[in-house]
Amino acid sequence: MVKLAELKEKALFGEVLVERGIISREELSTVRNLQRQSREKLGKLLIDMGALSEADLVKHLSEYLEIPYVVAESFPTVPVVENTFSVQFMRECKFVPVGAEDGELTIAMVDPLDRSTLDAIRLYTRYDRITVVLAPESGILDLIERFYGNQASSLGRIVEGIDTDVEGLGEDSDDVEHLKDLASEAPVIRLVNLILSRAIESRASDIHIEPFERELKVRYRIDGVLYDVESPPKRLKAATISRIKIMAKLNIAERRIPQDGRIKMKVLGKDVDLRVSTLPTMYGESVVMRILDKSNTQIYDLEKLGFAPDTYEAFQKLILRPHGIILVTGPTGSGKTTTLYGALSKINLPDKKIITIEDPVEYQINGINQIHVNPRIGLTFAAGLRSIVRQDPDVIMVGEIRDLETAEIAIRAALTGHLVFSTLHTNDAPSAIARLVDMGAQDYLLASSVLGVLAQRLVRVVCSRCRQEQILEPGFLTEIGFPRQSRVAASQGTGCKECDNTGYQGRVGIFELMLMREPIRRLTITNADSTRLRKAALEGGMTALRQDGFDKVKSGLTSVAEVLRVTQDA
């Protein structure tokens, strides 16, 4: 452990964080100004600002002080000592015993340099030696409550600190100034920050805050599936939603119509964008926040999306073609935009001008001109696409083909020497052609302009920590629609701390790629339905979505249940 005399000679902890690039100089300046007003410790203010996660703070502070640290997952499962320290003493001084062996007591502390607390601990105990380790404050307080207190959680302690006058402040209150004041109180800010930080830690893609008659429900979408999490009491509905609307620069007085906004902030040391959508419901405004992690660059890597080697090779050849239309299809949340971003990143070279029009622009890609549609001022997909063609681009990406006008302009652009990427909401690849014909697009123009259609879904990946092998019998495989073959060894997750007991961690794509070969073109011109197109595509070598999923089951990536879940409509 570093001594106080040595600590005085070291660079200040804040300066060390700036030198390491953990925080910016501006963030340090802001925290120091706040510190002069509140007298709080620098680390706590950094966490409250969202500049640093609690776990990262403990890790960097451990290196700085040369004191080992322990994470909450390593805490003991039963009390180490009992009837020794009062609960109030442990709460106020923020420490908890985490080990006792051979006359040595190990204490986890938030501030291991608090000499007066250490002296008091020595007076209270009969142990010869006291060893100090660092630990996150929330973990220490939660352990105190679990072992010695009233089971209050981090969220529960924040709720206790919120003013009781919110009890009578309903969603229909006209006291907008009171709402603003309430939403700006420190406990409400901490409450919303806790909801956001827990979502980031849980790898959530969306946060749902939903008011019901008797409760305010918070749910996280993790790997495409919604999970209930600990929620604030219903009396905090107005304060919580008003805080989010203020952060998103929305009108908190307007609760009758849907609103959309955006929050840019740093959560747990990560730069994230939150797309915020509010919707008036029977019991108040429902809020959904889509989390866009700016630090996640893997989304652009086409090779890591889960393509089978032959599908990847064929798709790569398509995106290198000089002109034509490439369509990506699937339901909402199936990863279509991620695939398109991966394709654009692959061909984003100095000799190509790439322009996209999206709703909204989810991630900025350096070297690509990106346009955000705005129907309120007339900037629709069709209007934007018409103007894009005049900008002499080599590659155009249209977020979605929603109407005949957009489809016709895209076809015209493809026929005049542009490579066009777009998406459609269809269940499989062959249905995309039928959908465009139903919109009114000319079949002979589709036959000559469309290069290929990629349909996709996202399946959850079995957790590597709790993976167990299961043998699938041939009869069972045939019954659920897979090709009959010998027994297959598959994988299934049993649930562990690493995957939050879900058995899955992360997602990977399953794909079917229909290339517009000659038989498909002839069927398109004769206005064939999607069933005939699908049959011809399979005869021409297309791997079906479910078959690609089954191949990933055999390789141990995902489970049979997961493939069946996402391919029911295919």
Side-chain angles (χ1 to χ4, degrees):
M1 182 190 298
V2 65
K3 295 179 180 177
L4 283 174
E6 296 172 357
L7 194 61
K8 288 176 182 177
E9 296 176 3
K10 297 182 74 168
L12 293 173
F13 181 53
E15 296 293 339
V16 171
L17 291 177
V18 172
E19 287 173 12
R20 293 178 179 176
I22 309 302
I23 63 173
S24 66
R25 177 67 61 184
E26 292 76 16
E27 286 170 330
L28 178 60
S29 177
T30 302
V31 167
R32 282 178 173 165
N33 288 334
L34 291 171
Q35 207 173 13
R36 281 192 284 270
Q37 299 169 21
S38 64
R39 303 293 181 185
E40 284 277 12
K41 292 190 179 296
L42 180 135
K44 187 174 188 317
L45 291 171
L46 284 171
I47 293 170
D48 287 346
M49 281 177 53
L52 202 61
S53 72
E54 200 174 27
D56 286 341
L57 173 70
V58 171
K59 183 176 70 173
H60 293 299
L61 194 58
S62 169
E63 293 176 8
Y64 177 75
L65 297 176
E66 298 172 22
I67 297 173
Y69 72 95
V70 59
V71 293
E73 289 76 14
S74 303
F75 282 165
T77 55
V78 294
V80 172
V81 295
E82 295 188 271
N83 304 319
T84 304
F85 307 108
S86 73
V87 175
Q88 185 178 358
F89 177 41
M90 288 189 287
R91 280 180 187 154
E92 288 181 358
C93 299
K94 295 171 184 170
F95 77 90
V96 67
V98 292
E101 192 175 358
D102 299 329
E104 181 177 359
L105 180 67
T106 302
I107 299 289
M109 296 183 69
V110 173
D111 182 7
L113 301 181
D114 185 351
R115 300 298 179 185
S116 60
T117 297
L118 286 172
D119 290 341
I121 291 172
R122 288 188 179 94
L123 287 174
Y124 271 110
T125 64
R126 54 181 172 77
Y127 289 91
D128 301 327
R129 298 185 307 280
I130 303 291
T131 301
V132 179
V133 294
L134 267 168
E137 180 179 335
S138 63
I140 288 174
L141 294 176
D142 281 345
L143 193 65
I144 292 170
E145 301 302 336
R146 194 162 77 241
F147 286 169
Y148 313 103
N150 59 6
Q151 305 293 320
S153 63
S154 299
L155 186 141
R157 287 193 300 274
I158 291 173
V159 168
E160 286 173 7
I162 296 178
D163 203 340
T164 55
D165 66 357
V166 300
E167 292 276 5
L169 190 60
E171 192 72 21
D172 299 326
S173 171
D174 293 326
D175 195 346
V176 176
E177 290 305 316
H178 189 185
L179 268 176
K180 284 182 179 176
D181 292 341
L182 185 63
S184 301
E185 287 184 4
V188 175
I189 294 172
R190 283 201 295 272
L191 172 63
V192 173
N193 284 348
L194 180 66
I195 292 171
L196 296 178
S197 61
R198 282 183 172 175
I200 301 293
E201 287 175 338
S202 303
R203 303 176 291 104
S205 60
D206 301 85
I207 304 169
H208 294 246
I209 301 176
E210 303 161 315
F212 294 98
E213 184 177 8
R214 293 183 178 85
E215 64 177 335
L216 179 66
K217 183 178 285 189
V218 177
R219 297 194 287 174
Y220 295 159
R221 189 177 294 280
I222 303 170
D223 294 333
V225 178
L226 277 172
Y227 294 94
D228 284 337
V229 296
E230 187 181 11
S231 304
K234 187 175 185 295
R235 64 185 176 87
L236 299 180
K237 174 182 68 173
T240 305
I241 292 174
S242 295
R243 174 63 193 165
I244 293 168
K245 290 174 75 174
I246 287 172
M247 293 170 72
K249 298 180 174 59
L250 302 178
N251 182 0
I252 69 169
E254 180 56 77
R255 309 181 191 104
R256 301 163 301 170
I257 60 173
Q259 296 186 69
D260 293 309
R262 190 167 226 168
I263 301 171
K264 289 188 177 183
M265 63 185 301
K266 205 166 191 176
V267 181
L268 303 181
K270 296 180 178 179
D271 290 318
V272 297
D273 265 10
L274 301 168
R275 275 170 37 200
V276 181
S277 171
T278 70
L279 184 72
T281 67
M282 185 179 295
Y283 298 107
E285 286 181 289
S286 172
V287 177
V288 176
M289 291 179 278
R290 168 65 59 88
I291 300 171
L292 305 174
D293 185 356
K294 295 298 184 183
S295 64
N296 186 6
T297 56
Q298 185 178 331
I299 63 158
Y300 307 139
D301 197 340
L302 204 59
E303 297 171 4
K304 295 181 180 178
L305 298 184
F307 283 99
D310 54 344
T311 306
Y312 176 73
E313 184 180 350
F315 188 65
Q316 194 172 27
K317 286 179 180 177
L318 280 188
I319 66 177
L320 294 175
R321 296 279 287 273
H323 54 82
I325 298 176
I326 299 171
L327 297 170
V328 180
T329 77
T332 301
S334 59
K336 301 186 295 294
T337 304
T338 300
T339 300
L340 288 178
Y341 280 168
L344 292 180
S345 297
K346 198 81 174 174
I347 60 176
N348 184 17
L349 301 171
D351 64 339
K352 283 187 172 64
K353 176 160 184 172
I354 304 174
I355 304 178
T356 75
I357 179 162
E358 307 169 55
D359 183 20
V361 175
E362 293 192 7
Y363 294 93
Q364 285 83 48
I365 307 176
N366 190 38
I368 294 179
N369 300 280
Q370 295 172 271
I371 303 167
H372 184 108
V373 300
N374 190 347
R376 282 178 291 188
I377 61 171
L379 182 55
T380 60
F381 279 122
L385 185 54
R386 196 178 293 110
S387 300
I388 285 172
V389 174
R390 302 191 198 108
Q391 289 279 310
D392 187 31
D394 298 289
V395 180
I396 301 169
M397 185 188 101
V398 186
E400 184 184 348
I401 294 178
R402 296 176 178 172
D403 51 47
L404 177 59
E405 186 180 7
T406 307
E408 287 178 337
I409 300 169
I411 291 169
R412 199 177 307 127
L415 293 173
T416 53
H418 304 88
L419 183 63
V420 180
F421 292 89
S422 192
T423 70
L424 276 175
H425 288 281
T426 62
N427 293 332
D428 59 8
S431 298
I433 302 298
R435 173 73 187 278
L436 288 170
V437 171
D438 287 343
M439 279 186 189
Q442 298 294 323
D443 47 21
Y444 66 92
L445 292 178
L446 290 174
S448 55
S449 62
V450 175
L451 300 175
V453 183
L454 180 76
Q456 66 178 76
R457 301 288 190 279
L458 292 176
V459 294
R460 292 180 291 174
V461 176
V462 174
C463 175
S464 58
R465 292 289 182 91
C466 60
R467 175 182 293 163
Q468 286 188 352
E469 189 177 276
Q470 60 173 171
I471 301 298
L472 304 179
E473 299 294 339
F476 169 72
L477 295 173
T478 307
E479 186 180 328
I480 61 177
F482 284 133
R484 182 174 179 85
Q485 51 188 282
S486 59
R487 288 158 44 124
V488 171
S491 294
Q492 186 172 357
T494 57
C496 63
K497 279 187 179 179
E498 192 74 20
C499 61
D500 290 329
N501 293 311
T502 63
Y504 299 96
Q505 191 171 42
R507 288 189 290 177
V508 70
I510 58 173
F511 304 91
E512 67 176 22
L513 177 61
M514 183 183 79
L515 299 173
M516 290 292 283
R517 295 192 171 98
E518 195 55 38
I520 305 292
R521 294 188 193 280
R522 285 199 299 269
L523 285 171
T524 301
I525 293 172
T526 59
N527 202 14
D529 60 20
S530 57
T531 304
R532 292 174 61 195
L533 288 169
R534 182 169 189 80
K535 184 180 178 182
L538 291 171
E539 289 172 352
M542 180 183 83
T543 301
L545 269 173
R546 185 167 285 190
Q547 180 59 51
D548 190 36
F550 185 47
D551 291 340
K552 288 179 171 63
V553 169
K554 289 192 289 185
S555 65
L557 265 178
T558 190
S559 66
V560 170
E562 187 65 8
V563 173
L564 290 176
R565 180 180 71 86
V566 303
T567 60
Q568 292 177 53
D569 56 352

